[in-house]
Amino acid sequence: MNARFGEFGGQYVPEILMNAVIELENAYSRCKDDTGFNERLSELLRCYAGRPSLLYYAENMTADLGGAKIYLKREDLNHTGSHKINNVLGQAMIAKEMGKTRLIAETGAGQHGVATATAAALFKMDCEIFMGKEDTERQALNVRRMNLLGAKVHCVTSGTQTLKDAVNETMREWTRRVSDTHYVLGSVMGPHPFPTMVRDFQSVISREARQQILEIEGKLPRAVIACVGGGSNAIGAFYHFIEDAEVELIGCEAAGLGVETPQNAATIANGTTGIFHGMKSLFCQDEYGQITPVYSISAGLDYPGIGPEHARLHQTGRAKYAAVTDSQAVDAFEYLSRTEGIIPAVESAHAVAYAMGTAGGYKKDDIIIINLSGRGDKDVASIARYKGEDLYE
């Protein structure tokens, strides 16, 4: 496995974690090509997670917007309600192979925390989740789900009390108990091998989508669109289309109140090269390399960096990254709910918003696939608050 994507990636961790990172790299190297491991994982993805996920033709949306035919890759239908289960099941299996008995994880929107707690229950492992205080409040439903599954949720009160700080605390905890603990990192970020390993587990999305669209339409899509925070659902949706030069890859990052304001999390738009959380990538930072606070209505996209493979795809021009504001995402959240009867996660709504603004510019025989990374039950209350509405009216 190559530890870098061009200049990005690497293993920038304290010495106390190097043995754990090397142990994980060796374990993944053994497992990734092992027939027995892959057969067990495939069976879990099929009978437990509910794969393959559906590729749904959004007929109403297509007719309303004009232009390209729009398909939704329905990761929201997976067990636990998002794409996160794809990666967590694989990492939990590797943790068992390494003899670990405890899983820890960071979470922003709570979907990765729920998936990790689910896998821990399934594999009879202890589980602790670190979540920023602000995120525990706006994603209270997922906190309750994690507790119900047997996980202990730690409310992180340092820093901005969001995803960045949850990652910090999880890494600190990992240094305390590397002997029996595996850190189930939730995105394509962090030190090698996490970006590659998580990418590989999430690439099931694009492998299925590519096969499905060829079976349904007999040709490849004109574009694949996905939201981007750290970037796991997007790289999963992009990966098996990267060699198809005619397919546009479009990542939608969180512009918050606007990329020209301090209240955004648009790393590609505003970030510069730096080192943070064990990797070299692009980050929102000041001239001294200190990470700056970021903001998004979406707890899952509220992260000041992006995975190193995305940084490389941006650098080479293979993928395009667009910034979508809170108001655009909220409009898309309501639009998809009312047009197709599908309530998307507010993270996924960023990708829906971009498609709403661009679909009409494509030809009628063009195809767009939007990766619907998660369902939006968790966001209904926060969207109501954002709009100043009474939840029970």
Side-chain angles (χ1 to χ4, degrees):
M1 291 183 291
N2 194 329
R4 292 186 180 272
F5 306 91
E7 68 177 291
F8 303 109
Q11 290 177 326
Y12 298 90
V13 295
E15 186 175 353
I16 194 171
L17 282 180
M18 275 308 300
N19 285 340
V21 168
I22 292 169
E23 179 189 23
L24 177 61
E25 182 179 3
N26 291 337
Y28 182 58
S29 293
R30 291 193 305 271
C31 291
K32 70 185 182 70
D33 297 320
D34 181 78
T35 301
F37 177 90
N38 286 307
E39 286 178 349
R40 292 193 301 275
L41 177 58
S42 294
E43 181 64 10
L44 272 178
L45 290 172
R46 183 188 67 81
C47 69
Y48 190 71
R51 304 207 71 89
S53 66
L54 299 179
L55 188 66
Y56 167 76
Y57 174 43
E59 186 173 3
N60 295 341
M61 189 177 176
T62 298
D64 183 62
L65 296 176
K69 296 180 73 173
I70 298 172
Y71 282 83
L72 307 177
K73 183 59 171 162
R74 297 291 307 276
E75 295 299 296
D76 60 309
L77 297 179
N78 293 342
H79 180 44
T80 72
S82 81
H83 70 292
K84 295 294 188 180
I85 194 71
N86 304 328
N87 165 52
V88 166
L89 288 175
Q91 285 204 51
M93 287 177 60
I94 289 174
K96 294 288 283 188
E97 290 282 334
M98 293 189 295
K100 308 300 183 182
T101 59
R102 178 174 175 254
L103 301 179
I104 60 173
E106 86 296 335
T107 197
Q111 292 298 89
H112 177 60
V114 169
T116 303
T118 298
L122 177 67
F123 289 109
K124 300 186 183 304
M125 304 175 77
D126 294 333
C127 183
E128 297 188 32
I129 306 295
F130 294 81
M131 191 174 189
K133 182 176 184 293
E134 181 176 330
D135 293 339
T136 63
E137 293 170 355
R138 57 181 170 177
Q139 299 294 341
L141 174 61
N142 276 340
V143 174
R144 179 58 186 152
R145 291 173 73 195
M146 287 182 270
N147 289 332
L148 184 62
L149 289 159
K152 180 178 181 180
V153 180
H154 296 275
C155 182
V156 177
T157 57
S158 59
T160 59
Q161 304 180 12
T162 56
L163 181 56
K164 168 184 73 72
D165 309 289
V167 175
N168 291 342
E169 293 302 321
T170 315
M171 284 193 165
R172 287 192 188 100
E173 178 63 20
W174 197 21
T175 64
R176 289 182 57 248
R177 287 180 58 176
V178 293
S179 60
D180 69 346
T181 298
H182 173 62
Y183 178 7
V184 186
L185 215 159
S187 196
V188 285
M189 51 181 238
H192 176 75
F194 283 110
T196 298
M197 179 175 64
V198 177
R199 188 272 317 278
D200 289 349
F201 289 139
Q202 292 294 1
S203 69
V204 65
I205 301 170
S206 54
R207 183 168 67 246
E208 290 177 1
R210 194 178 189 281
Q211 179 181 349
Q212 288 166 327
I213 201 65
L214 287 173
E215 290 174 352
I216 296 167
E217 294 282 355
K219 62 180 182 179
L220 293 173
R222 186 71 181 83
V224 176
I225 305 173
C227 66
V228 177
S232 62
N233 94 89
I235 206 67
F238 293 172
Y239 186 64
H240 288 285
F241 292 105
I242 289 175
E243 298 303 317
D244 300 311
E246 69 273 30
V247 179
E248 297 176 71
L249 306 177
I250 304 167
C252 303
E253 55 183 6
L257 302 186
V259 294
E260 72 285 354
T261 77
Q263 302 296 305
N264 71 82
T267 303
I268 296 292
N270 294 326
T272 55
T273 302
I275 295 172
F276 186 55
H277 285 160
M279 61 181 173
K280 183 178 182 181
S281 190
L282 298 175
F283 300 98
C284 296
Q285 56 189 337
D286 64 21
E287 66 270 30
Y288 302 108
Q290 296 300 306
I291 300 300
T292 55
V294 294
Y295 160 79
S296 170
I297 191 173
S298 160
L301 305 184
D302 195 0
Y303 183 71
I306 195 166
E309 189 164 9
H310 282 293
R312 179 61 174 171
L313 289 173
H314 165 67
Q315 184 184 64
T316 61
R318 179 60 190 94
K320 169 185 175 182
Y321 296 84
V324 176
T325 65
D326 285 358
S327 61
Q328 290 171 320
V330 170
D331 288 346
F333 179 90
E334 295 183 333
Y335 176 83
L336 190 63
S337 300
R338 294 169 180 171
T339 304
E340 292 290 347
I342 298 171
I343 303 174
V346 72
E347 290 81 14
S348 310
H350 285 70
V352 175
Y354 182 85
M356 288 168 59
T358 59
Y362 289 90
K363 298 176 182 177
K364 293 286 186 181
D365 60 350
D366 285 336
I367 297 162
I368 291 173
I369 295 176
I370 304 170
N371 193 41
L372 205 63
S373 59
R375 68 181 188 226
D377 312 51
K378 66 185 179 61
D379 299 309
V380 172
S382 62
I383 296 296
R385 286 193 296 270
Y386 172 84
K387 299 190 69 178
E389 297 174 353
D390 188 327
L391 184 62
Y392 299 103
E393 280 185 352

